[in-house]
Amino acid sequence: MTQPVTIIMIEDDEGHARLIERNIRRSGVNNEIVSFQNGTDAMQHLFGADGSGLVQKGNALLILLDLNLPDMTGIDILRQIKENKYLKASPVVVLTTTDDSQEIKRCYELGCNVYITKPVNYENFANAIRQLGLFFSVIQVPPAAP
Amino acid sequence: MTAEAHRRRTFWQILLFAAGLFVLTGISAGSVYLVNKAREDNQWVVHTIEVENQINSLLLEIRRAESSARGFLLTQADSFKIDHEKAVAAITPALDKLTRQSADNPAQRENVEKLRAAIETRLGQFAQEMEFIRQGQPDKAAALIREVVSTDATAAITKVATGMIHEEERLFRLRSENADRSQTFAASMTGIGSGLVVVLALISTWLVRRSARARDEAEARLRDANLNLESVVDERTADLREANDEIQRFAYIVSHDLRSPLVNIMGFTSELEELGGDIFRRIGGLAQVSANGAPLAPAGPGEIVLEGADKQLSEDFSEALGFIKTSIAKMDRLISAILNLTREGRREFQPVKIDTRELIEAIVSTLAHQAAEARAEIHIEPLPDIVSDRLAIEQIFSNLIDNAIKYLKNGVPGEIRIRGRTKLGYAIFEISDNGRGIDPKDHQRIFDLFRRAGTQDKPGQGIGLAHVRALVRRLGGTMSVSSELNAGSTFTITLPIAWNVSNRNRDR
């Protein structure tokens, strides 16, 4: 258990990605963040060339997922992650602009761990990200003790 | 088939029917008349024959009397005498009968009179002859017979009788011809009439068949038109449904996608704000450094006080950011409103039985605080219960009552009335107030999204009435307003008493 958690951020909007990253960093989380701007690249990275997910075996991941992607819906990615035996243990945080109760319900049914509506209000957003940071630090596996 | 053609056809049919009736009546009357006439003519023919017979039998009786008288004279046998007496006795009744029979014909009557005179003379002679024989003077009797043969009486009888027979024969010919003519006429009349009736029947049949065909064609066309209409209606309904769905999707996507850049704008504005704070702190620090001439450790936030032009710059910067943030907040509210509206448009309605009074009392109690502040009294009059979507009805009434409280006249105690009645399967609700009213030119505008009217002294997005109207429409109802500036407003909502899922929910 020496491996730090890698944050996988699947977010097509560069601005959003940058804001999320900054706020994560501001909250004092220094884990590696791997960004993807579309679903295809993210799927490639997560499931590997053979699509089995074997490449991520043993890796500690936290996935930040936007539901509105240009090439596929985040719901599909969420379902596939939760159906994969290597990936289903990784926490998924859904970040989206929609606060539609039906969609939220659907995401939780599919196994998402946290659903965050992107607020325009910066203070609330930063607060949410900071709380998420606390969550990160809790799950962050500490580096090997000296 | 046009109405004109239809009228013309009906007219012709009636005319044809009338003609048929007329012809039939004519034939019947003519037939009865002609048959009667033929019978009469035949009677006359029979009569003529009878008269002729009677004349012949009279002559026969006279001859019999003559011959039996002669036989008696020759043989003195009683049988001849009896025979003679029988014949003589038969002559007068036969003559009387002939007189009666020929009463109709003046010429014959005259002849009969002549005949009667001659016969009476001859009967007198018979009596004389018999008298001579009885007295035993056969010679005198024979002489008398010889004398009689040469006298006029016998000749006259023969002549007159022959004349009468000739006359009757003439009459017989005439009357036979008459009877024949009558019968022929009757027969031809019946024939022609029957033919006419058959022709009329044929024309009528043809007309009926033609009109039946026209009717069949019209029915077929009507059926086609109906089918066509149905398919057109289905098509249009499908189009409308599709358009409506598309608008819903469009509104949802637009508002959703508009939010995405807004997140960036807001986020980076906040970043800018922070950056600005950092920059002005540094400027302040630098200014202090240059003023004091000695470097200072970086000061903590809030410790730097800007002065002069720097302060002005900082304030301008903050003001600009402030406007941006206010605008973003407003835009966010508008987008949220659109999102909520479209979401509302997609929500499935559940019809339930609603105790309208209870529902409105609940709304009024939640608004009691605002009402007390505005010094408004709310009167609820008896209301009809309806079957509808509870949440939608709640939203409709709470928006309208809220508006009524919100837009009262300043300083005037408010009076808000909620009335209800039913009409033809619809429940009509009226929410009236004595508030500031709405200018008639704004009556349409207030129902538009993001549009408001009158003095803008109350907070609001201009969404309430647009939302209410959308809900009322989805519930199969209509709403309207009647109002004058400074004279209060009355909002009227017409809703079906029993709203049913099948008519609108199916669309979504």
Side-chain angles (χ1 to χ4, degrees):
Chain A
M1 295 291 280
T2 58
Q3 202 184 9
V5 173
T6 308
I7 297 172
I8 308 283
M9 181 161 62
I10 309 166
E11 166 66 69
D12 67 311
D13 191 306
E14 279 183 81
H16 290 191
R18 188 91 185 94
L19 280 173
I20 291 163
E21 201 181 329
R22 271 198 198 190
N23 282 283
I24 288 171
R25 294 282 179 247
R26 202 169 285 153
S27 309
V29 177
N30 295 310
N31 301 54
E32 184 195 357
I33 296 177
V34 183
S35 279
F36 297 98
Q37 288 191 2
N38 60 65
T40 317
D41 290 350
M43 293 295 278
Q44 180 83 23
H45 178 79
L46 286 173
F47 292 91
D50 57 351
S52 65
L54 194 64
V55 285
Q56 297 295 346
K57 188 187 176 186
N59 287 350
L61 301 176
L62 184 136
I63 299 155
L64 295 179
L65 180 62
D66 182 18
L67 288 189
N68 289 295
L69 295 170
D71 51 352
M72 58 178 78
T73 76
I75 297 270
D76 275 344
I77 298 175
L78 175 62
R79 187 187 297 114
Q80 290 184 44
I81 288 170
K82 289 301 173 186
E83 280 169 0
N84 189 286
K85 59 177 175 180
Y86 304 111
L87 295 167
K88 67 182 173 191
S90 310
V92 177
V93 177
V94 171
L95 278 162
T96 183
T97 50
T98 318
D99 58 350
D100 186 54
S101 56
Q102 293 229 324
E103 201 164 71
I104 295 171
K105 200 173 145 214
R106 210 159 138 222
C107 285
Y108 280 120
E109 275 169 6
L110 285 171
C112 105
N113 301 73
V114 184
Y115 186 103
I116 292 179
T117 307
K118 287 179 198 164
V120 178
N121 186 305
Y122 177 74
E123 281 77 23
N124 287 351
F125 184 51
N127 196 29
I129 295 292
R130 251 174 237 120
Q131 280 178 357
L132 195 60
L134 285 176
F135 177 65
F136 286 161
S137 51
V138 170
I139 64 156
Q140 188 182 8
V141 184
Chain B
M1 187 164 60
T2 63
E4 180 59 32
H6 183 79
R7 230 181 354 257
R8 212 163 47 225
R9 184 161 301 159
T10 311
F11 171 74
W12 276 113
Q13 265 162 3
I14 289 169
L15 195 73
L16 208 65
F17 184 70
L21 205 68
F22 180 73
V23 167
L24 267 181
T25 315
I27 289 167
S28 303
S31 294
V32 168
Y33 169 74
L34 286 172
V35 165
N36 272 338
K37 190 166 182 296
R39 201 170 59 209
E40 222 168 83
D41 286 349
N42 279 334
Q43 265 172 5
W44 280 116
V45 171
V46 170
H47 177 74
T48 310
I49 291 165
E50 275 171 3
V51 170
E52 220 179 312
N53 270 348
Q54 195 57 38
I55 293 167
N56 282 328
S57 66
L58 183 63
L59 284 178
L60 190 69
E61 290 301 333
I62 291 168
R63 296 261 185 268
R64 225 175 98 202
E66 268 179 10
S67 62
S68 59
R70 281 172 201 164
F72 185 54
L73 183 64
L74 288 175
T75 62
Q76 303 285 331
D78 276 346
S79 67
F80 282 108
K81 186 173 176 260
I82 292 163
D83 202 20
H84 174 75
E85 279 165 358
K86 261 192 207 163
V88 168
I91 287 169
T92 313
L95 186 63
D96 286 348
K97 198 178 172 192
L98 183 64
T99 312
R100 277 198 307 279
Q101 282 177 340
S102 59
D104 61 299
N105 192 330
Q108 289 294 72
R109 210 160 54 216
E110 211 174 291
N111 284 336
V112 168
E113 286 311 311
K114 279 184 201 159
L115 194 63
R116 181 181 288 273
I119 285 170
E120 271 167 5
T121 312
R122 189 73 185 88
L123 281 176
Q125 289 168 344
F126 279 142
Q128 225 175 342
E129 283 167 20
M130 296 311 283
E131 187 59 33
F132 283 137
I133 296 165
R134 204 165 44 89
Q135 289 169 356
Q137 301 170 314
D139 300 343
K140 273 192 179 172
L144 189 59
I145 289 169
R146 269 194 293 279
E147 192 189 337
V148 166
V149 170
S150 59
T151 58
D152 292 340
T154 314
I157 288 170
T158 314
K159 191 176 159 228
V160 170
T162 314
M164 279 181 82
I165 285 168
H166 280 152
E167 174 63 15
E168 287 303 324
E169 275 172 357
R170 189 185 64 79
L171 281 174
F172 175 75
R173 274 195 307 278
L174 196 73
R175 284 168 178 176
S176 295
E177 266 172 37
N178 268 350
D180 276 359
R181 209 167 43 240
S182 297
Q183 269 164 3
T184 315
F185 200 49
S188 52
M189 183 154 183
T190 307
I192 290 167
S194 305
L196 251 171
V197 166
V198 166
V199 167
L200 287 175
L202 282 176
I203 293 172
S204 187
T205 309
W206 178 71
L207 276 178
V208 165
R209 283 188 61 177
R210 202 177 66 171
S211 91
R213 204 166 47 237
R215 195 195 56 219
D216 288 350
E217 278 170 16
E219 268 177 13
R221 271 203 303 277
L222 193 66
R223 216 162 32 237
D224 285 356
N226 272 341
L227 282 175
N228 198 27
L229 192 67
E230 263 171 41
S231 68
V232 166
V233 167
D234 283 350
E235 223 169 84
R236 295 282 150 80
T237 312
D239 284 355
L240 281 176
R241 204 171 291 164
E242 212 167 282
N244 190 47
D245 286 353
E246 199 161 312
I247 287 170
Q248 294 275 354
R249 272 200 303 279
F250 176 75
Y252 184 80
I253 289 169
V254 162
S255 48
H256 193 267
D257 288 3
L258 281 179
R259 266 196 124 195
S260 199
L262 211 58
V263 169
N264 281 337
I265 297 169
M266 194 67 181
F268 286 104
T269 308
S270 296
E271 294 286 315
L272 264 183
E273 204 174 21
E274 251 175 58
L275 276 174
D278 290 349
I279 289 166
F280 284 110
R281 261 196 301 279
R282 283 191 76 165
I283 289 172
L286 288 174
Q288 275 183 354
V289 168
S290 56
N292 299 342
L296 282 168
E303 290 173 29
I304 303 296
V305 181
L306 293 170
E307 281 171 11
D310 290 343
K311 192 183 175 190
Q312 184 63 41
L313 271 177
S314 169
E315 276 169 7
D316 286 354
F317 188 85
S318 300
E319 192 192 41
L321 279 177
F323 277 117
I324 292 172
K325 287 177 83 171
T326 319
S327 298
I328 291 167
K330 189 176 178 187
M331 195 161 176
D332 184 43
R333 281 199 303 276
L334 297 183
I335 290 168
S336 298
I338 298 176
L339 258 172
N340 283 334
L341 272 182
T342 60
R343 212 170 281 158
E344 208 40 62
R346 290 139 82 100
R347 191 172 73 80
E348 295 232 332
F349 284 174
Q350 294 299 328
V352 288
K353 186 144 181 53
I354 297 171
D355 182 341
T356 319
R357 194 185 172 86
E358 190 190 295
L359 181 136
I360 289 179
E361 277 171 354
I363 294 169
V364 168
S365 68
T366 62
L367 294 168
H369 177 66
Q370 285 101 304
E373 245 176 24
R375 287 194 293 146
E377 268 186 59
I378 302 173
H379 306 274
I380 306 171
E381 289 179 17
L383 301 170
D385 290 351
I386 55 173
V387 173
S388 210
D389 183 80
R390 176 170 276 274
L391 186 60
I393 297 292
E394 255 172 30
Q395 287 176 340
I396 290 168
F397 281 107
S398 69
N399 264 296
L400 289 175
I401 298 169
D402 187 49
N403 276 355
I405 297 171
K406 205 161 149 189
Y407 301 108
L408 286 169
K409 270 185 274 194
N410 288 332
V412 179
E415 197 178 305
I416 296 160
R417 256 170 219 290
I418 298 143
R419 275 187 293 264
R421 62 197 154 95
T422 58
K423 192 181 176 186
L424 300 169
Y426 283 87
I428 300 166
F429 298 100
E430 285 178 358
I431 293 112
S432 55
D433 61 57
N434 61 343
R436 54 179 73 167
I438 302 153
D439 197 318
K441 73 176 162 51
D442 290 328
H443 283 184
Q444 191 53 47
R445 181 186 156 82
I446 52 167
F447 291 109
D448 291 343
L449 194 58
F450 304 139
R451 296 287 172 273
R452 307 175 75 199
T455 322
Q456 302 292 311
D457 59 349
K458 302 279 178 183
Q461 309 293 338
I463 290 166
L465 284 176
H467 183 44
V468 166
R469 190 167 69 167
L471 286 174
V472 170
R473 281 186 177 162
R474 272 195 68 197
L475 286 173
T478 55
M479 80 177 289
S480 62
V481 61
S482 73
S483 179
E484 288 290 332
L485 214 50
N486 297 318
S489 315
T490 300
F491 284 88
T492 308
I493 305 169
T494 308
L495 289 168
I497 290 175
W499 182 77
N500 146 7
V501 190
S502 64
N503 48 11
R504 288 298 288 263
N505 263 7
R506 194 182 51 196
D507 299 358
R508 278 147 234 283

